[in-house]
Amino acid sequence: MTYHIAVLSGDGIGPEIVAQAQRVLVAVGEKYSLEFELTPALVGGIAYDATGHPLPPETLELCKNSDAVLLGAVGGPKWDNVHPATLRPEVGALLPLRRELGLFANLRPATLFPALASVSSLRADIVGGGLDLLVVRELTGGIYFGKPKGRSEDGQTATDTCVYSRHEIERIAVVGFEAARKRGGNLCSVDKANVLETSRLWREVVVEVSARYPDVALSHMLVDNCAMQLVRNPAQFDVIVTENMFGDILSDEASMLTGSLGMLPSASLGSRETAGGRGTFGLYEPIHGSAPDIAGKGVANPLATILSCALLLRHSLGEEVAAVAIETAVSKVLTEGARTADIAGDGSAPISTTAMGDLVLAALS
Ligand code: NAD
């Protein structure tokens, strides 16, 4: 079977980090006899320059016909003042991609490799043993999208509306339970059920879904307590599932516990099954942006994008062994001391983007 993967490098450091991730995908494919068809396409500012739109129709079409999408990053100062603003890369490419591809579940692992404990914002006695938690965020509902929203006629009152349907909660709860089942078997559902009606429905539906997952231990936590627990004792969490706005905030908080933007992958999943029914269609990207300040210098950390490939293998292709092989290779190179500039806080001499890719490839073989 051939897996079809759309490769959208984008802008800034995008092409540099995606190049390394592609090398890793090819190598893992050779090692585990997986066949990939990697098809590049334009997205972001570079697509705007070439075609007048940051998400050309042929790019969207390619994504729709793929098993998964690997994305670098989009945007940069060159396109900050594009008119109309709806054609700016972040607005004109990322949001429509999520919408058109029906990506309702955002998975953000926050993994702190023990070798990098010194770059965490938390003390070593709290994170010294490493961190491995996953935030599953609902991505297309809640207060960011609920209607009505806007201003009163005199402009003195503003309204946003938080709406969740049973269906929206159920499908994200399933993603949370499935993820917990494949990891440590613990799911913490985060809400504000002491105040919000949407949260009370959320809790009700999550409890109903839990009946299908007797092997997963479910707990509930209020969002304010969760924000506090994440810095007090993050190791208590395995998988957190939560609604859109809470997830937006908590996943950023969780990711910074790991010290570097350059290390963190993400997955956004839809509902369509992929080739052979072994996984779910998704888009995979590092959580960082296009880093224009270091673009073209060959110093960007490619590990977030390489780890995004592991998520792609796991969630869209059902190739768990290959996914773990990438994660193990990354852990090995870090333990052996390899550092790009962003994670060289412990005084190590930084290596280049390509050199980091070389080391991961060597660790894979
Ligand atoms: P950024 O994440 O690009 O950069 C923030 C800081 O982190 C910079 O100092 C950068 O050099 C550093 N950094 C980021 N990734 C790194 C890596 N892999 N290795 C080493 N250092 C890294 O955020 P920003 O500067 O706020 O945004 C830059 C551009 O990216 C903007 O145009 C923004 O809109 C866009 N952006 C795109 C995405 C996306 O494509 N998903 C996400 C966020 C921001």
Side-chain angles (χ1 to χ4, degrees), residues 10-11 13 17 71-80 88-91 94 98 260-264 266 283 285-295 299-305 340-343 353:
D11 307 314
I13 60 170
I17 52 178
L71 178 73
V74 301
K78 183 178 177 195
W79 304 283
D80 279 350
R88 282 189 52 190
E90 301 86 339
V91 182
L94 291 182
R98 287 178 190 152
S260 172
L261 282 177
M263 291 298 304
L264 295 167
S266 78
L283 180 145
E285 59 182 324
I287 69 161
H288 60 72
S290 59
D293 53 333
I294 56 168
V299 297
N301 185 347
L303 293 179
T305 318
T340 42
D342 58 310
I343 49 172
T353 309

mmCIF file of all heavy atoms in Angstrom, residues 10-11 13 17 71-80 88-91 94 98 260-264 266 283 285-295 299-305 340-343 353, ligand 1:
data_model
loop_
_atom_site.group_PDB
_atom_site.id
_atom_site.type_symbol
_atom_site.label_atom_id
_atom_site.label_comp_id
_atom_site.label_asym_id
_atom_site.label_seq_id
_atom_site.Cartn_x
_atom_site.Cartn_y
_atom_site.Cartn_z
ATOM 1 N N GLY A 10 5.932 25.749 3.164
ATOM 2 C CA GLY A 10 5.576 27.104 3.596
ATOM 3 C C GLY A 10 6.730 28.074 3.576
ATOM 4 O O GLY A 10 7.590 28.026 2.685
ATOM 5 N N ASP A 11 6.768 28.923 4.599
ATOM 6 C CA ASP A 11 7.659 30.087 4.593
ATOM 7 C C ASP A 11 8.731 30.016 5.679
ATOM 8 O O ASP A 11 8.687 29.146 6.549
ATOM 9 C CB ASP A 11 6.818 31.359 4.821
ATOM 10 C CG ASP A 11 5.661 31.461 3.841
ATOM 11 O OD1 ASP A 11 5.898 31.232 2.632
ATOM 12 O OD2 ASP A 11 4.535 31.732 4.281
ATOM 13 N N ILE A 13 11.545 29.339 8.047
ATOM 14 C CA ILE A 13 12.341 28.119 8.265
ATOM 15 C C ILE A 13 11.608 26.872 7.775
ATOM 16 O O ILE A 13 12.162 25.773 7.801
ATOM 17 C CB ILE A 13 12.708 27.924 9.764
ATOM 18 C CG1 ILE A 13 11.447 27.815 10.642
ATOM 19 C CG2 ILE A 13 13.628 29.020 10.252
ATOM 20 C CD1 ILE A 13 11.720 27.393 12.077
ATOM 21 N N ILE A 17 13.241 22.944 7.838
ATOM 22 C CA ILE A 17 12.881 21.906 8.822
ATOM 23 C C ILE A 17 12.121 20.764 8.156
ATOM 24 O O ILE A 17 12.298 19.600 8.501
ATOM 25 C CB ILE A 17 12.070 22.508 10.001
ATOM 26 C CG1 ILE A 17 10.874 23.317 9.494
ATOM 27 C CG2 ILE A 17 12.966 23.360 10.887
ATOM 28 C CD1 ILE A 17 10.001 23.910 10.577
ATOM 29 N N LEU A 71 3.013 19.900 7.365
ATOM 30 C CA LEU A 71 3.108 21.346 7.141
ATOM 31 C C LEU A 71 4.303 21.908 7.908
ATOM 32 O O LEU A 71 4.550 21.503 9.048
ATOM 33 C CB LEU A 71 1.809 21.997 7.639
ATOM 34 C CG LEU A 71 1.688 23.518 7.567
ATOM 35 C CD1 LEU A 71 1.492 23.979 6.128
ATOM 36 C CD2 LEU A 71 0.510 23.999 8.404
ATOM 37 N N GLY A 72 5.030 22.844 7.282
ATOM 38 C CA GLY A 72 6.131 23.518 7.984
ATOM 39 C C GLY A 72 5.565 24.672 8.792
ATOM 40 O O GLY A 72 5.070 24.501 9.902
ATOM 41 N N ALA A 73 5.579 25.864 8.221
ATOM 42 C CA ALA A 73 4.992 27.036 8.891
ATOM 43 C C ALA A 73 4.722 28.074 7.818
ATOM 44 O O ALA A 73 5.317 28.022 6.734
ATOM 45 C CB ALA A 73 5.952 27.590 9.928
ATOM 46 N N VAL A 74 3.826 28.994 8.115
ATOM 47 C CA VAL A 74 3.530 30.044 7.134
ATOM 48 C C VAL A 74 3.646 31.416 7.769
ATOM 49 O O VAL A 74 3.563 31.572 8.983
ATOM 50 C CB VAL A 74 2.112 29.887 6.520
ATOM 51 C CG1 VAL A 74 1.960 28.550 5.824
ATOM 52 C CG2 VAL A 74 1.029 30.095 7.566
ATOM 53 N N GLY A 75 3.832 32.417 6.902
ATOM 54 C CA GLY A 75 3.824 33.809 7.343
ATOM 55 C C GLY A 75 5.216 34.396 7.453
ATOM 56 O O GLY A 75 6.222 33.694 7.348
ATOM 57 N N GLY A 76 5.225 35.708 7.664
ATOM 58 C CA GLY A 76 6.483 36.430 7.795
ATOM 59 C C GLY A 76 6.232 37.895 7.504
ATOM 60 O O GLY A 76 5.187 38.250 6.949
ATOM 61 N N PRO A 77 7.199 38.756 7.865
ATOM 62 C CA PRO A 77 6.998 40.200 7.731
ATOM 63 C C PRO A 77 6.624 40.633 6.313
ATOM 64 O O PRO A 77 5.854 41.572 6.127
ATOM 65 C CB PRO A 77 8.356 40.792 8.120
ATOM 66 C CG PRO A 77 9.203 39.687 8.601
ATOM 67 C CD PRO A 77 8.503 38.380 8.417
ATOM 68 N N LYS A 78 7.149 39.917 5.312
ATOM 69 C CA LYS A 78 6.880 40.293 3.922
ATOM 70 C C LYS A 78 5.391 40.326 3.623
ATOM 71 O O LYS A 78 4.926 41.070 2.759
ATOM 72 C CB LYS A 78 7.584 39.291 3.001
ATOM 73 C CG LYS A 78 7.443 39.620 1.533
ATOM 74 C CD LYS A 78 8.194 38.648 0.651
ATOM 75 C CE LYS A 78 7.943 38.982 -0.824
ATOM 76 N NZ LYS A 78 8.335 37.901 -1.703
ATOM 77 N N TRP A 79 4.608 39.500 4.333
ATOM 78 C CA TRP A 79 3.179 39.380 4.008
ATOM 79 C C TRP A 79 2.278 39.954 5.101
ATOM 80 O O TRP A 79 1.072 39.763 5.064
ATOM 81 C CB TRP A 79 2.825 37.913 3.740
ATOM 82 C CG TRP A 79 3.663 37.327 2.663
ATOM 83 C CD1 TRP A 79 3.530 37.519 1.311
ATOM 84 C CD2 TRP A 79 4.806 36.483 2.822
ATOM 85 N NE1 TRP A 79 4.509 36.844 0.630
ATOM 86 C CE2 TRP A 79 5.307 36.197 1.531
ATOM 87 C CE3 TRP A 79 5.463 35.943 3.925
ATOM 88 C CZ2 TRP A 79 6.432 35.393 1.331
ATOM 89 C CZ3 TRP A 79 6.584 35.139 3.714
ATOM 90 C CH2 TRP A 79 7.062 34.877 2.435
ATOM 91 N N ASP A 80 2.901 40.641 6.082
ATOM 92 C CA ASP A 80 2.101 41.149 7.202
ATOM 93 C C ASP A 80 1.080 42.200 6.771
ATOM 94 O O ASP A 80 0.058 42.386 7.430
ATOM 95 C CB ASP A 80 3.011 41.733 8.304
ATOM 96 C CG ASP A 80 3.567 40.622 9.190
ATOM 97 O OD1 ASP A 80 3.089 39.476 9.064
ATOM 98 O OD2 ASP A 80 4.478 40.902 9.997
ATOM 99 N N ARG A 88 -3.714 37.231 4.098
ATOM 100 C CA ARG A 88 -2.468 36.998 4.848
ATOM 101 C C ARG A 88 -2.317 35.497 5.056
ATOM 102 O O ARG A 88 -3.300 34.791 5.291
ATOM 103 C CB ARG A 88 -2.529 37.698 6.209
ATOM 104 C CG ARG A 88 -2.267 39.180 6.133
ATOM 105 C CD ARG A 88 -2.123 39.751 7.523
ATOM 106 N NE ARG A 88 -1.140 39.007 8.309
ATOM 107 C CZ ARG A 88 -0.944 39.162 9.617
ATOM 108 N NH1 ARG A 88 -1.671 40.013 10.292
ATOM 109 N NH2 ARG A 88 -0.029 38.459 10.251
ATOM 110 N N PRO A 89 -1.087 34.987 4.998
ATOM 111 C CA PRO A 89 -0.900 33.531 5.054
ATOM 112 C C PRO A 89 -1.590 32.843 6.233
ATOM 113 O O PRO A 89 -2.235 31.810 6.063
ATOM 114 C CB PRO A 89 0.613 33.385 5.142
ATOM 115 C CG PRO A 89 1.151 34.601 4.491
ATOM 116 C CD PRO A 89 0.172 35.708 4.753
ATOM 117 N N GLU A 90 -1.467 33.428 7.448
ATOM 118 C CA GLU A 90 -2.026 32.741 8.624
ATOM 119 C C GLU A 90 -3.548 32.673 8.525
ATOM 120 O O GLU A 90 -4.157 31.666 8.874
ATOM 121 C CB GLU A 90 -1.635 33.469 9.920
ATOM 122 C CG GLU A 90 -0.138 33.584 10.156
ATOM 123 C CD GLU A 90 0.489 34.800 9.483
ATOM 124 O OE1 GLU A 90 -0.105 35.340 8.515
ATOM 125 O OE2 GLU A 90 1.578 35.209 9.916
ATOM 126 N N VAL A 91 -4.141 33.771 8.055
ATOM 127 C CA VAL A 91 -5.604 33.833 7.992
ATOM 128 C C VAL A 91 -6.119 33.114 6.744
ATOM 129 O O VAL A 91 -7.087 32.352 6.793
ATOM 130 C CB VAL A 91 -6.067 35.320 7.956
ATOM 131 C CG1 VAL A 91 -7.586 35.420 7.937
ATOM 132 C CG2 VAL A 91 -5.487 36.071 9.141
ATOM 133 N N LEU A 94 -4.072 28.927 6.955
ATOM 134 C CA LEU A 94 -4.214 27.984 8.081
ATOM 135 C C LEU A 94 -5.677 27.760 8.465
ATOM 136 O O LEU A 94 -6.121 26.618 8.614
ATOM 137 C CB LEU A 94 -3.450 28.497 9.305
ATOM 138 C CG LEU A 94 -1.926 28.487 9.181
ATOM 139 C CD1 LEU A 94 -1.284 28.972 10.470
ATOM 140 C CD2 LEU A 94 -1.414 27.092 8.836
ATOM 141 N N ARG A 98 -7.874 24.175 8.080
ATOM 142 C CA ARG A 98 -8.532 23.454 9.182
ATOM 143 C C ARG A 98 -10.011 23.261 8.883
ATOM 144 O O ARG A 98 -10.569 22.187 9.091
ATOM 145 C CB ARG A 98 -8.386 24.237 10.489
ATOM 146 C CG ARG A 98 -6.989 24.184 11.034
ATOM 147 C CD ARG A 98 -6.866 25.010 12.306
ATOM 148 N NE ARG A 98 -5.450 25.132 12.668
ATOM 149 C CZ ARG A 98 -4.934 26.145 13.346
ATOM 150 N NH1 ARG A 98 -5.696 27.140 13.749
ATOM 151 N NH2 ARG A 98 -3.655 26.170 13.623
ATOM 152 N N SER A 260 11.277 24.546 24.972
ATOM 153 C CA SER A 260 11.547 25.094 23.646
ATOM 154 C C SER A 260 10.439 24.845 22.650
ATOM 155 O O SER A 260 9.933 23.738 22.510
ATOM 156 C CB SER A 260 12.815 24.500 23.063
ATOM 157 O OG SER A 260 12.941 24.910 21.716
ATOM 158 N N LEU A 261 10.105 25.905 21.931
ATOM 159 C CA LEU A 261 9.132 25.785 20.846
ATOM 160 C C LEU A 261 9.622 24.823 19.770
ATOM 161 O O LEU A 261 8.831 24.158 19.116
ATOM 162 C CB LEU A 261 8.970 27.149 20.170
ATOM 163 C CG LEU A 261 8.128 28.220 20.842
ATOM 164 C CD1 LEU A 261 8.191 29.496 20.023
ATOM 165 C CD2 LEU A 261 6.703 27.729 20.954
ATOM 166 N N GLY A 262 10.922 24.768 19.601
ATOM 167 C CA GLY A 262 11.506 23.982 18.510
ATOM 168 C C GLY A 262 11.401 22.480 18.694
ATOM 169 O O GLY A 262 11.793 21.702 17.823
ATOM 170 N N MET A 263 10.856 22.046 19.832
ATOM 171 C CA MET A 263 10.787 20.615 20.131
ATOM 172 C C MET A 263 9.392 20.029 19.973
ATOM 173 O O MET A 263 9.218 18.818 20.081
ATOM 174 C CB MET A 263 11.201 20.376 21.590
ATOM 175 C CG MET A 263 12.651 20.609 21.916
ATOM 176 S SD MET A 263 13.720 19.509 21.007
ATOM 177 C CE MET A 263 13.060 17.926 21.487
ATOM 178 N N LEU A 264 8.373 20.900 19.797
ATOM 179 C CA LEU A 264 7.018 20.388 20.006
ATOM 180 C C LEU A 264 6.190 20.203 18.738
ATOM 181 O O LEU A 264 5.935 21.156 17.997
ATOM 182 C CB LEU A 264 6.280 21.323 20.971
ATOM 183 C CG LEU A 264 6.936 21.298 22.359
ATOM 184 C CD1 LEU A 264 6.422 22.428 23.210
ATOM 185 C CD2 LEU A 264 6.698 19.965 23.042
ATOM 186 N N SER A 266 2.629 18.782 16.616
ATOM 187 C CA SER A 266 1.177 18.766 16.857
ATOM 188 C C SER A 266 0.487 18.006 15.735
ATOM 189 O O SER A 266 1.045 17.835 14.645
ATOM 190 C CB SER A 266 0.616 20.185 16.940
ATOM 191 O OG SER A 266 0.480 20.743 15.659
ATOM 192 N N LEU A 283 -3.516 16.640 9.840
ATOM 193 C CA LEU A 283 -2.482 17.587 9.430
ATOM 194 C C LEU A 283 -1.475 17.693 10.574
ATOM 195 O O LEU A 283 -1.862 17.833 11.737
ATOM 196 C CB LEU A 283 -3.124 18.941 9.142
ATOM 197 C CG LEU A 283 -2.204 20.073 8.700
ATOM 198 C CD1 LEU A 283 -2.936 20.964 7.687
ATOM 199 C CD2 LEU A 283 -1.755 20.928 9.879
ATOM 200 N N GLU A 285 2.127 19.383 12.141
ATOM 201 C CA GLU A 285 3.005 20.544 12.028
ATOM 202 C C GLU A 285 3.660 20.831 13.374
ATOM 203 O O GLU A 285 3.119 20.476 14.424
ATOM 204 C CB GLU A 285 2.200 21.772 11.585
ATOM 205 C CG GLU A 285 1.085 22.119 12.549
ATOM 206 C CD GLU A 285 0.228 23.299 12.128
ATOM 207 O OE1 GLU A 285 0.758 24.246 11.540
ATOM 208 O OE2 GLU A 285 -0.984 23.276 12.407
ATOM 209 N N PRO A 286 4.827 21.505 13.330
ATOM 210 C CA PRO A 286 5.404 21.951 14.597
ATOM 211 C C PRO A 286 4.510 23.035 15.180
ATOM 212 O O PRO A 286 3.773 23.677 14.429
ATOM 213 C CB PRO A 286 6.761 22.522 14.174
ATOM 214 C CG PRO A 286 6.585 22.913 12.735
ATOM 215 C CD PRO A 286 5.620 21.925 12.162
ATOM 216 N N ILE A 287 4.592 23.262 16.512
ATOM 217 C CA ILE A 287 3.709 24.301 17.067
ATOM 218 C C ILE A 287 4.282 25.699 16.824
ATOM 219 O O ILE A 287 3.567 26.678 16.954
ATOM 220 C CB ILE A 287 3.436 24.114 18.575
ATOM 221 C CG1 ILE A 287 4.696 24.369 19.408
ATOM 222 C CG2 ILE A 287 2.858 22.744 18.873
ATOM 223 C CD1 ILE A 287 4.353 24.649 20.864
ATOM 224 N N HIS A 288 5.565 25.777 16.461
ATOM 225 C CA HIS A 288 6.153 27.109 16.277
ATOM 226 C C HIS A 288 5.796 27.685 14.912
ATOM 227 O O HIS A 288 5.231 27.007 14.053
ATOM 228 C CB HIS A 288 7.679 27.049 16.457
ATOM 229 C CG HIS A 288 8.362 26.125 15.487
ATOM 230 N ND1 HIS A 288 8.502 26.396 14.148
ATOM 231 C CD2 HIS A 288 8.938 24.906 15.675
ATOM 232 C CE1 HIS A 288 9.154 25.420 13.557
ATOM 233 N NE2 HIS A 288 9.419 24.487 14.464
ATOM 234 N N GLY A 289 6.162 28.957 14.719
ATOM 235 C CA GLY A 289 5.886 29.621 13.448
ATOM 236 C C GLY A 289 7.070 29.558 12.504
ATOM 237 O O GLY A 289 7.927 28.663 12.629
ATOM 238 N N SER A 290 7.125 30.508 11.568
ATOM 239 C CA SER A 290 8.111 30.452 10.491
ATOM 240 C C SER A 290 9.455 31.056 10.888
ATOM 241 O O SER A 290 10.374 31.085 10.073
ATOM 242 C CB SER A 290 7.557 31.163 9.256
ATOM 243 O OG SER A 290 7.269 32.514 9.595
ATOM 244 N N ALA A 291 9.549 31.550 12.120
ATOM 245 C CA ALA A 291 10.815 32.069 12.674
ATOM 246 C C ALA A 291 11.622 32.880 11.666
ATOM 247 O O ALA A 291 12.770 32.535 11.364
ATOM 248 C CB ALA A 291 11.660 30.909 13.235
ATOM 249 N N PRO A 292 11.084 33.987 11.167
ATOM 250 C CA PRO A 292 11.806 34.762 10.138
ATOM 251 C C PRO A 292 13.163 35.251 10.623
ATOM 252 O O PRO A 292 14.068 35.444 9.803
ATOM 253 C CB PRO A 292 10.868 35.938 9.836
ATOM 254 C CG PRO A 292 9.666 35.801 10.695
ATOM 255 C CD PRO A 292 9.758 34.545 11.485
ATOM 256 N N ASP A 293 13.312 35.411 11.954
ATOM 257 C CA ASP A 293 14.593 35.920 12.476
ATOM 258 C C ASP A 293 15.753 34.967 12.229
ATOM 259 O O ASP A 293 16.906 35.389 12.201
ATOM 260 C CB ASP A 293 14.468 36.257 13.984
ATOM 261 C CG ASP A 293 13.915 35.101 14.819
ATOM 262 O OD1 ASP A 293 13.171 34.256 14.273
ATOM 263 O OD2 ASP A 293 14.229 35.027 16.024
ATOM 264 N N ILE A 294 15.482 33.685 12.047
ATOM 265 C CA ILE A 294 16.596 32.747 11.816
ATOM 266 C C ILE A 294 16.467 32.019 10.464
ATOM 267 O O ILE A 294 17.264 31.135 10.165
ATOM 268 C CB ILE A 294 16.701 31.701 12.956
ATOM 269 C CG1 ILE A 294 15.377 30.940 13.132
ATOM 270 C CG2 ILE A 294 17.118 32.349 14.265
ATOM 271 C CD1 ILE A 294 15.504 29.707 14.025
ATOM 272 N N ALA A 295 15.475 32.410 9.662
ATOM 273 C CA ALA A 295 15.256 31.721 8.374
ATOM 274 C C ALA A 295 16.474 31.857 7.468
ATOM 275 O O ALA A 295 17.101 32.915 7.403
ATOM 276 C CB ALA A 295 14.026 32.297 7.683
ATOM 277 N N VAL A 299 20.035 27.193 11.143
ATOM 278 C CA VAL A 299 20.209 26.920 12.576
ATOM 279 C C VAL A 299 18.921 26.456 13.258
ATOM 280 O O VAL A 299 18.915 26.145 14.447
ATOM 281 C CB VAL A 299 20.743 28.172 13.331
ATOM 282 C CG1 VAL A 299 22.120 28.550 12.807
ATOM 283 C CG2 VAL A 299 19.774 29.355 13.218
ATOM 284 N N ALA A 300 17.815 26.420 12.510
ATOM 285 C CA ALA A 300 16.522 26.065 13.127
ATOM 286 C C ALA A 300 16.543 24.632 13.640
ATOM 287 O O ALA A 300 17.215 23.754 13.083
ATOM 288 C CB ALA A 300 15.403 26.228 12.107
ATOM 289 N N ASN A 301 15.788 24.411 14.680
ATOM 290 C CA ASN A 301 15.654 23.066 15.258
ATOM 291 C C ASN A 301 14.601 22.289 14.450
ATOM 292 O O ASN A 301 13.437 22.668 14.437
ATOM 293 C CB ASN A 301 15.218 23.209 16.717
ATOM 294 C CG ASN A 301 15.162 21.882 17.441
ATOM 295 O OD1 ASN A 301 15.209 20.832 16.819
ATOM 296 N ND2 ASN A 301 15.065 21.939 18.755
ATOM 297 N N PRO A 302 14.985 21.197 13.807
ATOM 298 C CA PRO A 302 14.012 20.448 12.998
ATOM 299 C C PRO A 302 13.237 19.400 13.791
ATOM 300 O O PRO A 302 12.399 18.687 13.235
ATOM 301 C CB PRO A 302 14.907 19.763 11.959
ATOM 302 C CG PRO A 302 16.176 19.473 12.715
ATOM 303 C CD PRO A 302 16.343 20.599 13.716
ATOM 304 N N LEU A 303 13.521 19.283 15.116
ATOM 305 C CA LEU A 303 12.971 18.140 15.855
ATOM 306 C C LEU A 303 11.449 18.182 16.000
ATOM 307 O O LEU A 303 10.787 17.141 15.969
ATOM 308 C CB LEU A 303 13.649 18.008 17.227
ATOM 309 C CG LEU A 303 15.134 17.636 17.171
ATOM 310 C CD1 LEU A 303 15.724 17.544 18.575
ATOM 311 C CD2 LEU A 303 15.350 16.313 16.426
ATOM 312 N N ALA A 304 10.862 19.385 16.131
ATOM 313 C CA ALA A 304 9.395 19.451 16.248
ATOM 314 C C ALA A 304 8.744 18.888 14.983
ATOM 315 O O ALA A 304 7.719 18.199 15.041
ATOM 316 C CB ALA A 304 8.948 20.892 16.473
ATOM 317 N N THR A 305 9.342 19.184 13.848
ATOM 318 C CA THR A 305 8.776 18.711 12.584
ATOM 319 C C THR A 305 9.043 17.215 12.414
ATOM 320 O O THR A 305 8.173 16.470 11.941
ATOM 321 C CB THR A 305 9.362 19.519 11.402
ATOM 322 O OG1 THR A 305 9.404 20.888 11.786
ATOM 323 C CG2 THR A 305 8.516 19.374 10.160
ATOM 324 N N THR A 340 20.590 21.975 18.924
ATOM 325 C CA THR A 340 20.557 23.170 18.075
ATOM 326 C C THR A 340 20.562 24.367 19.020
ATOM 327 O O THR A 340 20.380 24.206 20.235
ATOM 328 C CB THR A 340 19.290 23.181 17.189
ATOM 329 O OG1 THR A 340 18.187 22.754 17.977
ATOM 330 C CG2 THR A 340 19.455 22.288 15.967
ATOM 331 N N ALA A 341 20.733 25.574 18.459
ATOM 332 C CA ALA A 341 20.964 26.750 19.306
ATOM 333 C C ALA A 341 19.851 26.978 20.329
ATOM 334 O O ALA A 341 20.121 27.369 21.471
ATOM 335 C CB ALA A 341 21.125 27.980 18.414
ATOM 336 N N ASP A 342 18.604 26.718 19.939
ATOM 337 C CA ASP A 342 17.475 27.025 20.837
ATOM 338 C C ASP A 342 17.451 26.158 22.095
ATOM 339 O O ASP A 342 16.820 26.527 23.080
ATOM 340 C CB ASP A 342 16.153 26.862 20.072
ATOM 341 C CG ASP A 342 15.997 25.468 19.498
ATOM 342 O OD1 ASP A 342 16.936 24.982 18.834
ATOM 343 O OD2 ASP A 342 14.943 24.843 19.727
ATOM 344 N N ILE A 343 18.118 25.013 22.064
ATOM 345 C CA ILE A 343 18.102 24.138 23.246
ATOM 346 C C ILE A 343 19.509 23.946 23.823
ATOM 347 O O ILE A 343 19.757 23.030 24.599
ATOM 348 C CB ILE A 343 17.470 22.751 22.928
ATOM 349 C CG1 ILE A 343 18.070 22.136 21.662
ATOM 350 C CG2 ILE A 343 15.959 22.869 22.809
ATOM 351 C CD1 ILE A 343 17.621 20.694 21.406
ATOM 352 N N THR A 353 20.829 22.727 11.483
ATOM 353 C CA THR A 353 19.584 22.015 11.188
ATOM 354 C C THR A 353 19.890 20.676 10.508
ATOM 355 O O THR A 353 19.361 19.622 10.878
ATOM 356 C CB THR A 353 18.716 22.872 10.239
ATOM 357 O OG1 THR A 353 18.623 24.178 10.794
ATOM 358 C CG2 THR A 353 17.343 22.285 10.033
HETATM 359 P P1 NAD B 1 7.813 31.795 15.880
HETATM 360 O O1 NAD B 1 7.351 30.548 16.527
HETATM 361 O O2 NAD B 1 8.039 31.748 14.428
HETATM 362 O O3 NAD B 1 9.189 32.276 16.570
HETATM 363 C C1 NAD B 1 9.275 32.617 17.956
HETATM 364 C C2 NAD B 1 10.751 32.493 18.398
HETATM 365 O O4 NAD B 1 11.099 31.125 18.491
HETATM 366 C C3 NAD B 1 11.741 33.118 17.403
HETATM 367 O O5 NAD B 1 12.810 33.708 18.098
HETATM 368 C C4 NAD B 1 12.227 31.934 16.605
HETATM 369 O O6 NAD B 1 13.529 32.100 16.082
HETATM 370 C C5 NAD B 1 12.172 30.802 17.625
HETATM 371 N N1 NAD B 1 11.893 29.522 16.982
HETATM 372 C C6 NAD B 1 10.697 29.109 16.480
HETATM 373 N N2 NAD B 1 10.809 27.905 15.925
HETATM 374 C C7 NAD B 1 12.112 27.543 16.086
HETATM 375 C C8 NAD B 1 12.858 26.396 15.716
HETATM 376 N N3 NAD B 1 12.305 25.364 15.066
HETATM 377 N N4 NAD B 1 14.167 26.368 16.035
HETATM 378 C C9 NAD B 1 14.748 27.378 16.689
HETATM 379 N N5 NAD B 1 14.089 28.489 17.072
HETATM 380 C C10 NAD B 1 12.790 28.570 16.767
HETATM 381 O O7 NAD B 1 6.759 32.911 16.266
HETATM 382 P P2 NAD B 1 6.636 34.426 15.756
HETATM 383 O O8 NAD B 1 7.995 35.035 15.639
HETATM 384 O O9 NAD B 1 5.632 35.035 16.627
HETATM 385 O O10 NAD B 1 6.006 34.318 14.307
HETATM 386 C C11 NAD B 1 6.755 34.368 13.089
HETATM 387 C C12 NAD B 1 5.821 34.182 11.918
HETATM 388 O O11 NAD B 1 5.250 32.862 11.960
HETATM 389 C C13 NAD B 1 4.637 35.145 11.919
HETATM 390 O O12 NAD B 1 4.388 35.532 10.596
HETATM 391 C C14 NAD B 1 3.499 34.310 12.479
HETATM 392 O O13 NAD B 1 2.250 34.774 12.065
HETATM 393 C C15 NAD B 1 3.823 32.955 11.894
HETATM 394 N N6 NAD B 1 3.252 31.819 12.638
HETATM 395 C C16 NAD B 1 2.869 30.755 11.891
HETATM 396 C C17 NAD B 1 2.395 29.622 12.518
HETATM 397 C C18 NAD B 1 2.027 28.431 11.673
HETATM 398 O O14 NAD B 1 2.388 28.382 10.513
HETATM 399 N N7 NAD B 1 1.326 27.441 12.220
HETATM 400 C C19 NAD B 1 2.304 29.565 13.920
HETATM 401 C C20 NAD B 1 2.738 30.662 14.650
HETATM 402 C C21 NAD B 1 3.222 31.794 14.000
#
